[in-house]
Amino acid sequence: MKTYSVDALLAHEKFQLANPGVETNKEIGSVYIGDLLSWVMSHSEQNCAWITVQTHINIVAVAVLLEMSCIILPEGCTPDEDTQKKALEENIPLLVSPWTAYNIACFLKEKMES
């Protein structure tokens, strides 16, 4: 499977960066969908794009621990201000999208296979 970049994802109109100033030149090697943090910590992997409806600051800690490429909040979920600040401080791109987690994952799968 090929990779896809956070920059390329942000070029699409359905994705917006919630923490401007963060580095977005990261490669996405896989996609993981999950909301239970302990489960995500034990099943996701490095360089993944993590899709979650969780918006609190602890999602940044999980992304840093696993060296994820980015966090994507689906269905119009928006991060609180503390989460945005921490994600910027830890250099984790935090994206928002109106799409469902399923639509985002399908989009990324298609891009990563082409």
Side-chain angles (χ1 to χ4, degrees):
M1 182 173 281
K2 298 178 184 176
T3 61
Y4 195 66
S5 72
V6 175
D7 281 330
L9 192 56
L10 286 167
H12 192 278
E13 66 184 8
K14 295 294 185 183
F15 298 93
Q16 291 184 323
L17 187 62
N19 58 341
V22 70
E23 291 179 28
T24 57
N25 59 345
K26 299 181 176 189
E27 292 296 315
I28 299 170
S30 63
V31 177
Y32 195 83
I33 303 171
D35 299 316
L36 184 60
L37 301 187
S38 60
W39 188 269
V40 172
M41 286 171 44
S42 64
H43 291 86
S44 65
E45 58 189 23
Q46 185 180 22
N47 297 326
C48 77
W50 176 26
I51 304 169
T52 180
V53 296
Q54 298 288 342
T55 60
H56 55 78
I57 196 169
N58 292 341
I59 61 173
V60 178
V62 171
V64 169
L65 179 68
L66 295 172
E67 299 179 20
M68 293 178 174
S69 297
C70 64
I71 301 169
I72 305 171
L73 304 178
E75 300 185 44
C77 293
T78 55
D80 60 37
E81 189 176 320
D82 289 340
T83 303
Q84 289 175 302
K85 287 180 182 175
K86 190 65 174 174
L88 180 60
E89 181 184 309
E90 296 291 347
N91 200 31
I92 298 292
L94 190 54
L95 285 65
V96 296
S97 175
W99 280 352
T100 65
Y102 175 78
N103 290 134
I104 295 168
C106 289
F107 176 81
L108 281 167
K109 181 180 186 298
E110 179 184 317
K111 294 298 182 184
M112 293 171 75
E113 288 181 344
S114 62

